[in-house]
Amino acid sequence: MNRKKIAVVGAGWAGAVTARALHDDGMAVEVFEERQTVGGHSRSETLAGVVFEPNGPHIFHTSNPEVARYVQRFGMRRTYEHRVLTEIFLDDDDSPRLLSWPPQVEELRALPVWPRVEKELADLPAEPWRDNLEAYCESIMGPTLYQLFIRDYSVKQWGRHPTELSSRFAPGRLDLRTDGNRRLFRDTWEFFPERGSQEMIESILAPIPVLAGQSISVDDLPALERDFAAVVITAPLDVFAKQDGSLEWRGVRTVSRYLPLADPTATVTPAYVVNRPSLRHPFTRTVETKHATGQRVAGTVLSEEYPGSADRHYPVQTPDRSNERRNESLKAMIRERTDLAVFYCGRLANYEYINQDQAIEQGMACARDVASALRRDDA
């Protein structure tokens, strides 16, 4: 086995899981993280003792038993069922209505627009349209529900009209329910750690050197070649390749405030996540993590999400896949710049919209690929 070290760039879920798997396999690993703390997009923080999420809600769910065992190994055992509400306004009515997300047909029957919705549902095509996000949504729920629940939310969230967005991520995230199941996710396991994801990721990385505040780019690869045999990149490739702006990202600015409450079990919103699709609000949703943690603390933190920041939170997937193709070309360019074995893992490096369990799966698979490649080199 090549005794040189392996560099992992980024300390979110993908980077942490990759690094720990390689460490447990007996390899020397170092993690480079440009921020002063680990956790990446999933990190949690505290304000006046209340756990909250500065980058939005992150609920762990999976049907993969290996991934479920993995997070339980590091202390994520508190079960939780995630249910989301959506605030809608009907026509010019100023009275908001709170309904389940995904929409539940049994709730929709009580709305004055139900006769119109019922007719649209009867006319749906046999197979969803996949030309773009709007076409997909209208083909699974009709134009009225699409306009109430999705259209304006998508415009705010992505800064684009839904006709300019791909439908590829929609099947796993958009639905119309007829079974009365109000859980957002249907996976076998669903957890939310009492102290947030931060402690989990810190525990995973505990035996591994993490160089916090250390930014690594393509220009650093020649220097890494002296001490490292391979590099795993989980950072956004336009940043790593020093080609800022070559990929399109959508960021969210979260505004969080502490609210004192006398009752340690009290919250101020009706659900952990309440979607606010109406253009009457400049934000897309409110997040109150205390619903999920179950913390008993005299206060809460309410967060509002305002899309349009410069952060690279979400890849913008368009029907023509232009950003994905550009990301692949950046991968090839980076590999050409070094003799190191280069691997890409996670949401940012692969320019895809994935959940925590999928990031963990990718980290496990990436570690196996790295180990296999280095063993072949030593054979």
Side-chain angles (χ1 to χ4, degrees), residues 103-106 109 121 175-181 186:
Q104 298 280 346
V105 168
E106 65 181 75
R109 294 181 191 278
L121 295 181
D175 195 6
L176 177 64
R177 300 269 175 95
T178 59
D179 59 3
N181 182 357
R186 299 175 183 268

Side-chain angles (χ1 to χ4, degrees), residues 47-203:
L47 185 58
V50 182
V51 174
F52 75 104
E53 298 158 286
N55 294 306
H58 290 83
I59 303 92
F60 178 84
H61 55 98
T62 188
S63 292
N64 183 328
E66 182 184 15
V67 174
R69 288 192 298 270
Y70 186 87
V71 296
Q72 290 177 85
R73 169 188 169 191
F74 294 102
M76 191 186 289
R77 302 185 185 95
R78 182 179 181 277
T79 58
Y80 170 73
E81 290 189 355
H82 186 45
R83 302 184 182 198
V84 174
L85 295 176
T86 295
E87 175 196 77
I88 65 167
F89 294 87
L90 296 176
D91 299 323
D92 295 327
D93 188 355
D94 288 330
S95 301
R97 299 168 187 254
L98 283 175
L99 299 175
S100 297
W101 175 260
Q104 298 280 346
V105 168
E106 65 181 75
E107 294 179 14
L108 300 173
R109 294 181 191 278
L111 298 179
V113 295
W114 171 249
R116 186 200 320 164
V117 171
E118 185 177 32
K119 182 178 185 307
E120 291 171 357
L121 295 181
D123 293 336
L124 293 180
E127 294 293 330
W129 300 324
R130 300 184 183 274
D131 307 60
N132 54 60
L133 181 60
E134 179 174 272
Y136 181 87
C137 293
E138 290 193 345
S139 70
I140 67 166
M141 62 179 59
T144 298
L145 295 181
Y146 160 68
Q147 291 165 19
L148 287 172
F149 284 89
I150 299 172
R151 183 189 62 193
D152 292 345
Y153 186 102
S154 299
V155 169
K156 290 193 291 185
Q157 173 69 17
W158 298 104
R160 285 173 173 260
H161 193 274
T163 54
E164 301 177 76
L165 296 168
S166 171
S167 66
R168 291 189 296 280
F169 68 88
R173 288 173 166 78
L174 304 177
D175 195 6
L176 177 64
R177 300 269 175 95
T178 59
D179 59 3
N181 182 357
R182 287 172 171 78
R183 288 179 60 198
L184 179 61
F185 306 115
R186 299 175 183 268
D187 286 303
T188 306
W189 293 276
E190 190 170 0
F191 303 116
F192 199 96
E194 187 173 348
R195 302 295 301 176
S197 297
Q198 194 66 26
E199 288 188 353
M200 305 299 102
I201 297 175
E202 289 174 356
S203 178

Side-chain angles (χ1 to χ4, degrees), residues 265-324:
T265 65
T267 53
V268 296
T269 57
Y272 171 26
V273 175
V274 181
N275 294 333
R276 315 281 182 170
S278 171
L279 295 178
R280 302 179 191 209
H281 300 294
F283 49 89
T284 52
R285 59 185 176 181
T286 56
V287 180
E288 190 178 2
T289 306
K290 188 177 179 181
H291 284 278
T293 63
Q295 268 191 297
R296 295 180 63 87
V297 56
T300 191
V301 173
L302 180 63
S303 301
E304 296 171 346
E305 290 191 1
Y306 295 82
S309 79
D311 293 312
R312 288 167 169 81
H313 288 147
Y314 302 104
V316 180
Q317 297 179 328
T318 56
D320 64 2
R321 294 180 178 262
S322 57
N323 285 310
E324 289 90 334

Side-chain angles (χ1 to χ4, degrees), residues 241-253:
K242 305 187 77 171
Q243 296 196 20
D244 193 12
S246 59
L247 292 174
E248 187 176 5
W249 298 90
R250 190 67 170 167
V252 173
R253 177 176 61 92

